[in-house]
Amino acid sequence: MRQSSVQGPGAQRRASGAETTERGGGPRRDGAGPGDLPGQRQGGRHQGGGPPAPGGKHRVLRWVSTTLAVLILGTAGAGYLYYEHLNGNLDKDDLNLGDNKLDKSAPNAAGQTPLNILLLGSDSRKSKENVKLGGARADRDRPALADVQMLLHVSADRSNMSVISVPRDTRVTIPRCTDKKDSDKVYPETSDTINSSLAHGGPGCTVATWEELTGIPIDHFMMIDFSGVVDMADAVGGVPVCVDNNVYDAKSGLRLKKGDSTIKGVQALQWLRTRHGFEDGSDIGRAKAQHLYMNSMVRQLKAGTKLTDPDKLTDLAEAATKALTVDDGLGTVKKLYDLGNDLKRVPTKRITMATMPWVPDAQNPAHVIPKPGDADKTFSLMRNDVGLDGKDKKKHGPKKKPVPSDPAAPKGEIPVAVQNGTGTAAQIAVRGRAATIAGQLTRLGFSQAATDATPKSRADTTVSYPKADQRGDAQAVAKALGLPDSAVRPAAEVSQVTLVIGADWRTGTEYPKSAGSEKHGDEKAPDSADALKGDDKSACMKVNPANVW
């Protein structure tokens, strides 16, 4: 980790004692082992570090207060030097190493844009501190694995936040990645567990993998390391958690009595890494424990708990910035502060944390794959900026008997721009697709339909309109092509009714009914996503009967 010549006020704590691991080199699914949380960063080029599934997220919100302290200190000359010191603590890396990148999310009619942040935790042990906390000295030189992965989605209007965890042993396609910081080293496309994507050039390849898996454009990433988890848990004074029985997990070292406890330091790391102590002893139970931890942390931070003391705030600032690796777009404390302010606006009751619906992998029972239907529905809600809690007002109009806000103009008087967005991180574009659909619209009477060659990359087909009195026109286009009304939405970025043909419609001239099915029914996460609400203070982890003491 880099050191600045300016000494910050916050003293860094490092707790000792951590689990040892039976694990060797590659991805595994059996032991809590190393990899269950973040790893570490080394020098300039990040080799591992990332926030434990849960820790990462808190960090995001912790920065609200963290960076607030920084800005307060920045009012004086010495404060400015300390601000620069904190900037120097941050490690930065490329956002996306893939060949194909999704378009950024489009702004809504009010010009507001949703935000997608990938939170990562690796099992790197490239420092003495992380070897001490993570054990497994034999793993010190192997490539790091991203064993904690969560995608945080903040709605465009900042009314809600949704988080999806993906089990580390989910088999996915890891796309071809090029590491520009390592002499343009190329990692070929492969099929492997998602946690191994970090070893294909760094976090930018994990971002590329997520875009291919979900069709969700990712704006930023953040990673934290083992020692960072310890420091940050200490800096906020600990996090309240609950277990329904006495629990002891010999692999992670976690030992708690039944009921409520406040955990910090190494104990917080043990909680986030424990897999055998909870429920069925799997990654799935551990993800739920991480969600509980994160929700509890968020409630603390939003209530200002432990953050009224300037010394604690500077401790938090030091811990957060030294623990984090971020993309260049989040490379300063000021940017993190602005992000924190955005996140702070989300009501706790509208925060939902879920796990990607999954089924066992037929190729390897120790791995999982996305559950057909349910997984894509969950991803589709995020892509379409719909809260996983099901409490959003219908953003794209009613589902039955839609009534246009303004009557549609005659078909021949509606200008329609048709764009080809079929090329995504997962597949190449279908050549001539825009011309095919523009021709179909012309045959249907929309004589002003024309292709627009603006490069696009989108998972879902959409019909956008710039002004409220053009909604009827957009609905007429959607109806003519068989698109559901939920595909119609306002967008500040377009100047006329604009049809973007997504990866869900690669053939034919009528929108496939199966593709639109995900946009119908209840607009909330399926039960298989095991969602946890941010204001659920009664949540308590079920202990694995085999680990009760």
Side-chain angles (χ1 to χ4, degrees):
M1 183 168 295
R2 293 165 297 167
Q3 299 295 323
S4 169
S5 58
V6 180
Q7 297 300 313
Q12 289 297 293
R13 312 181 194 83
R14 288 285 187 277
S16 62
E19 78 178 290
T20 57
T21 176
E22 73 282 21
R23 152 147 175 209
R28 76 269 178 268
R29 183 178 177 74
D30 44 303
D36 291 353
L37 246 181
Q40 83 147 57
R41 306 173 331 265
Q42 187 87 4
R45 178 81 177 101
H46 186 1
Q47 299 297 324
K57 185 142 277 224
H58 312 6
R59 286 150 219 313
V60 180
L61 284 161
R62 291 174 197 169
W63 291 332
V64 178
S65 41
T66 294
T67 52
L68 175 60
V70 174
L71 293 188
I72 292 173
L73 290 168
T75 58
Y80 173 77
L81 293 178
Y82 183 53
Y83 170 79
E84 290 301 306
H85 159 71
L86 292 177
N87 281 340
N89 284 344
L90 290 168
D91 276 347
K92 294 173 281 294
D93 217 324
D94 294 331
L95 174 62
N96 191 319
L97 302 182
D99 293 338
N100 302 308
K101 301 173 180 62
L102 293 171
D103 289 344
K104 297 299 182 184
S105 300
N108 60 18
Q112 302 165 313
T113 305
L115 186 63
N116 298 308
I117 305 170
L118 186 61
L119 307 173
L120 301 173
S122 87
D123 70 347
S124 171
R125 286 161 174 74
K126 289 190 176 295
S127 75
K128 292 181 180 179
E129 189 65 34
N130 283 300
V131 167
K132 181 194 300 183
L133 293 170
R137 286 176 172 78
D139 286 346
R140 180 162 184 162
D141 295 326
R142 68 157 173 76
L145 300 171
D147 278 346
V148 176
Q149 302 189 24
M150 292 184 172
L151 183 60
L152 180 160
H153 171 85
V154 188
S155 65
D157 60 7
R158 304 307 187 247
S159 67
N160 67 85
M161 181 190 302
S162 299
V163 182
I164 296 179
S165 293
V166 168
R168 67 181 182 181
D169 288 327
T170 301
R171 181 170 60 82
V172 297
T173 296
I174 300 174
R176 179 179 184 270
C177 291
T178 303
D179 186 357
K180 294 183 175 59
K181 293 185 177 180
D182 188 11
S183 303
D184 288 331
K185 181 176 181 179
V186 174
Y187 296 83
E189 177 181 307
T190 186
S191 177
D192 205 341
T193 53
I194 196 168
N195 64 344
S196 66
S197 60
L198 189 63
H200 290 228
C205 195
T206 304
V207 167
T209 302
W210 267 79
E211 289 201 347
E212 173 154 330
L213 171 67
T214 67
I216 300 169
I218 295 175
D219 302 296
H220 301 292
F221 74 79
M222 298 186 295
M223 300 202 304
I224 195 173
D225 60 23
F226 284 145
S227 56
V229 175
V230 171
D231 284 341
M232 295 195 70
D234 284 348
V236 297
V239 178
V241 296
C242 173
V243 289
D244 71 350
N245 211 330
N246 295 341
V247 60
Y248 174 60
D249 181 357
K251 293 185 180 298
S252 71
L254 180 70
R255 185 183 184 92
L256 292 175
K257 291 183 178 180
K258 178 180 178 180
D260 297 326
S261 300
T262 298
I263 57 177
K264 62 170 66 174
V266 171
Q267 200 171 43
L269 181 64
Q270 293 168 342
W271 174 278
L272 297 171
R273 300 181 69 195
T274 291
R275 64 155 45 190
H276 299 288
F278 299 136
E279 300 195 34
D280 60 355
S282 73
D283 276 337
I284 312 306
R286 179 173 58 187
K288 190 166 185 176
Q290 293 170 345
H291 294 163
L292 187 153
Y293 180 99
M294 292 169 64
N295 278 340
S296 183
M297 173 75 82
V298 169
R299 289 195 298 270
Q300 274 193 302
L301 290 172
K302 290 178 77 69
T305 304
K306 307 294 183 183
L307 298 176
T308 56
D309 184 337
D311 287 339
K312 289 185 180 297
L313 283 171
T314 53
D315 279 355
L316 186 56
E318 285 285 341
T321 53
K322 286 186 175 180
L324 287 168
T325 294
V326 298
D327 63 279
D328 292 328
L330 286 179
T332 68
V333 170
K334 175 61 168 60
K335 291 177 180 177
L336 293 175
Y337 173 74
D338 291 341
L339 172 62
N341 272 338
D342 255 0
L343 299 176
K344 186 169 61 174
R345 293 162 53 190
V346 179
T348 305
K349 64 182 180 180
R350 293 297 315 278
I351 297 174
T352 306
M353 301 195 182
T355 300
M356 178 197 75
W358 57 274
V359 293
D361 180 9
Q363 295 185 21
N364 184 341
H367 299 160
V368 301
I369 59 174
K371 183 177 182 179
D374 281 8
D376 191 60
K377 177 180 179 180
T378 307
F379 297 146
S380 179
L381 291 173
M382 275 195 172
R383 289 195 301 264
N384 290 285
D385 197 25
V386 178
L388 296 183
D389 59 4
K391 294 181 180 179
D392 275 348
K393 295 178 180 179
K394 303 310 176 188
K395 295 184 178 182
H396 311 312
K399 294 175 183 173
K400 295 182 179 180
K401 296 181 180 179
V403 179
S405 54
D406 184 75
K411 294 180 181 179
E413 298 179 9
I414 302 175
V416 184
V418 184
Q419 300 174 334
N420 185 354
T422 57
T424 67
Q427 50 198 341
I428 63 174
V430 178
R431 293 177 61 87
R433 193 76 184 120
T436 297
I437 301 304
Q440 174 67 0
L441 283 171
T442 299
R443 287 188 289 274
L444 293 172
F446 294 88
S447 57
Q448 294 193 49
T451 59
D452 179 343
T454 303
K456 290 290 175 183
S457 178
R458 190 163 298 172
D460 301 303
T461 298
T462 60
V463 184
S464 303
Y465 59 93
K467 298 178 181 179
D469 62 4
Q470 292 174 295
R471 178 171 177 79
D473 297 346
Q475 287 178 316
V477 172
K479 182 178 180 180
L481 295 171
L483 287 160
D485 192 60
S486 56
V488 179
R489 74 268 320 265
E493 66 170 1
V494 299
S495 59
Q496 66 184 74
V497 173
T498 301
L499 168 66
V500 179
I501 308 160
D504 57 348
W505 189 15
R506 295 175 64 83
T507 61
T509 55
E510 184 173 347
Y511 187 69
K513 292 181 179 180
S514 59
S517 63
E518 296 298 339
K519 298 183 175 69
H520 295 283
D522 294 333
E523 289 194 322
K524 66 177 182 179
D527 292 341
S528 55
D530 198 17
L532 180 65
K533 303 296 179 61
D535 60 350
D536 185 357
K537 298 180 181 180
S538 65
C540 199
M541 285 304 299
K542 293 181 180 179
V543 173
N544 186 341
N547 289 80
V548 173
W549 60 275

